[in-house]
Amino acid sequence: MGKGTIVLAYSGGLDTSICIPLLKEKYDYDRVVTVAVNVGQRDEEIDVATKKGKKLADRHYTIDVREKFVADHIFPAIRANGSYEGYPMGTSLARPLIAEEVVRIAKKEKATAIGHGCTGKGNDQLRFDFIIRSAGLEVVAPIRELNLTRDWEIDYAKKHNIPVPVKKDKPWSMDENCWSRSIEGGRLEDPAFHPPEEIYLWTVSPEKAPAKPEKITLTFKNGVPVALNKKKLSGYDLIQKLNILAGKHGIGRNDMIEDRILGLKARENYEHPAATVILAAHRDLEGLTLTCQELAFKRMVDDKWSELAYKGLVYEPLYHALNAFIETTQKRVNGTVDMELYKGSVRILGRSSPDAIYSSDMVSFDSDSIDQCHAIGVSQYFGIQARMVRQMQNKTR
């Protein structure tokens, strides 16, 4: 008798596929149950994970949480203008939900441990471990614990007749959900290497984008998009349509040096066309509907929210407190934003809101609704302390 059942978070990729035999050979588990969680990957990716899981594991589950992912993780990210070091987060938003679903199956299967295919150098190990340990379950991470390399994994997979989608000359590691797609590994680890077009699936290069700009309108209610070009859509469908639309115009690529949680710098490539457009529109609409004090404070809140979300600390009490504050501000973030998509860029054309803190009459140079002379008294005291210091300094020179 071995250790019984272990549940494995499964993607169908190289790392998680070789974990199935490793968990039996090296860790002495009797049964390996795989769980693939659909957070908006391509259909073929889910199909591959399902077929391989059923073939290689003792039991397999495929769970569809796409709408839940949008409602519980992407929508809060939009309200918080969620980004890390300049790019819209995607992988980090999905990991806690995936881990929670795997935990649910582990309890159903009466397993005491959960396995994952994360390395000991990236962020995902911490995001998964946090959720798993919070559930009181043991963590098993063969890639990390056995110090495995990519080449060793490919050779091991071949010996065990495990089909893998990567080759030694193109060992790209990809992660995808409906909000974002990341590509890393292989020659991409060289910061000076120019990434080939083959790594991109959602976006065309700006040079190959249409020569004619395309205008779109996004409608927001309570801080999240509810309609594209005046057509109401579910959150998931709107994101999918906008991924195609913006991707066609070459919008949403990031090639950057990112600071991981452990302190390591890593070269990362991302695609996130819908996220780029939606976040640009949301920030702009906030500028029309929130006070300057709210905007200033919310920028700090958004930064802290993004840090916690990037680390996957969704059970941190501060994370929930920040969400509560953000949600109160979003009750007035309603309206439409008109945008232009063109060769890799998105431009705001105009915006309107029933909750706008804006008076065209008061701000207009052609209006006399405000007596400009009232500003004279303000001007007398404006910056008075700095003026006094300046005057004293001038006297001593």
Side-chain angles (χ1 to χ4, degrees):
M1 291 291 292
K3 294 181 180 179
T5 298
I6 185 170
V7 175
L8 174 68
Y10 189 65
S11 69
L14 174 62
D15 294 330
T16 55
S17 291
I18 68 162
C19 281
I20 297 172
L22 280 174
L23 288 169
K24 292 185 175 183
E25 292 178 6
K26 302 291 186 180
Y27 291 86
D28 199 29
Y29 281 98
D30 302 304
R31 293 177 71 242
V32 178
V33 176
T34 50
V35 181
V37 182
N38 187 348
V39 285
Q41 304 94 313
R42 286 166 295 140
D43 290 341
E44 54 266 35
E45 189 173 328
I46 290 296
D47 290 342
V48 167
T50 300
K51 290 176 182 176
K52 289 175 68 174
K54 289 181 177 180
K55 178 182 178 181
L56 300 173
D58 296 288
R59 188 172 186 181
H60 176 80
Y61 294 84
T62 294
I63 303 169
D64 188 343
V65 294
R66 288 175 291 180
E67 295 291 352
K68 182 177 177 63
F69 177 47
V70 172
D72 294 352
H73 296 272
I74 293 180
F75 278 179
I78 294 171
R79 293 186 177 108
N81 298 305
S83 63
Y84 180 75
E85 295 189 343
Y87 77 94
M89 295 178 293
T91 298
S92 59
L93 298 180
R95 289 304 188 242
L97 178 57
I98 292 171
E100 286 173 342
E101 291 299 317
V102 177
V103 165
R104 184 172 64 82
I105 297 300
K107 291 180 178 179
K108 178 180 178 180
E109 291 284 337
K110 294 180 170 51
T112 58
I114 289 177
H116 61 66
C118 302
T119 72
K121 298 181 179 180
N123 299 317
D124 283 340
Q125 57 176 330
L126 303 176
R127 297 163 181 156
F128 275 111
D129 292 357
F130 174 71
I131 299 295
I132 296 167
R133 290 198 170 105
S134 294
L137 297 170
E138 181 186 351
V139 176
V140 180
I143 309 300
R144 175 177 66 189
E145 295 163 7
L146 300 176
N147 257 316
L148 303 184
T149 65
R150 202 73 167 162
D151 285 349
W152 187 94
E153 292 179 50
I154 293 173
D155 291 337
Y156 181 84
K158 289 178 179 178
K159 291 176 183 177
H160 286 74
N161 296 315
I162 299 173
V164 293
V166 299
K167 300 177 181 178
K168 287 187 178 182
D169 59 336
K170 295 180 180 179
W172 318 128
S173 177
M174 303 180 185
D175 181 76
E176 185 177 295
N177 59 57
C178 64
W179 192 238
S180 175
R181 181 172 176 272
S182 67
I183 316 101
E184 60 184 5
R187 293 195 66 191
L188 292 175
E189 293 175 352
D190 177 2
F193 176 67
H194 294 199
E197 278 297 310
E198 70 184 45
I199 72 169
Y200 299 109
L201 298 181
W202 289 8
T203 59
V204 301
S205 65
E207 293 81 7
K208 294 183 179 179
K212 185 179 178 181
E214 185 166 356
K215 296 178 181 179
I216 66 167
T217 298
L218 277 178
T219 303
F220 286 80
K221 184 176 181 180
N222 296 331
V224 297
V226 294
L228 173 61
N229 294 331
K230 306 296 177 68
K231 182 179 180 180
K232 290 186 177 180
L233 296 166
S234 71
Y236 180 78
D237 288 342
L238 188 149
I239 290 168
Q240 291 293 76
K241 287 183 180 295
L242 196 51
N243 269 331
I244 295 171
L245 187 60
K248 179 182 70 174
H249 288 277
I251 293 169
R253 288 186 180 183
N254 269 86
D255 181 348
M256 60 182 293
I257 303 300
E258 179 178 325
D259 292 296
R260 290 178 176 170
I261 299 170
L262 294 178
L264 299 173
K265 287 189 179 291
R267 199 272 189 84
E268 304 286 353
N269 290 82
Y270 296 102
E271 291 182 287
H272 33 66
T276 301
V277 174
I278 291 171
L279 290 178
H282 179 261
R283 290 190 190 97
D284 187 83
L285 192 58
E286 280 192 327
L288 183 65
T289 58
L290 301 185
T291 69
C292 62
Q293 296 293 338
E294 285 178 306
L295 289 168
F297 188 73
K298 187 172 181 293
R299 278 191 285 271
M300 295 186 289
V301 172
D302 289 349
D303 285 345
K304 191 62 182 179
W305 186 97
S306 296
E307 177 194 334
L308 294 175
Y310 180 76
K311 293 177 178 178
L313 294 174
V314 296
Y315 296 160
E316 164 61 46
L318 179 60
Y319 178 78
H320 293 282
L322 296 178
N323 272 319
F325 165 77
I326 291 169
E327 285 180 14
T328 63
T329 68
Q330 300 302 291
K331 293 176 182 178
R332 302 197 316 275
V333 184
N334 306 301
T336 62
V337 181
D338 299 324
M339 316 174 80
E340 180 184 84
L341 312 180
Y342 182 61
K343 289 193 173 293
S345 66
V346 54
R347 184 164 68 96
I348 306 295
L349 299 177
R351 75 289 290 163
S352 64
S353 171
D355 299 294
I357 309 173
Y358 185 88
S359 170
S360 56
D361 179 58
M362 286 193 290
V363 79
S364 173
F365 292 120
D366 298 321
S367 169
D368 60 2
S369 60
I370 289 181
D371 187 341
Q372 297 182 50
C373 293
H374 291 165
I376 296 173
V378 177
S379 179
Q380 292 286 348
Y381 291 94
F382 183 72
I384 189 170
Q385 293 183 4
R387 282 160 36 203
M388 292 172 66
V389 171
R390 180 75 170 177
Q391 288 167 1
M392 288 188 292
Q393 290 173 337
N394 289 337
K395 288 180 181 179
T396 59
R397 288 175 181 170

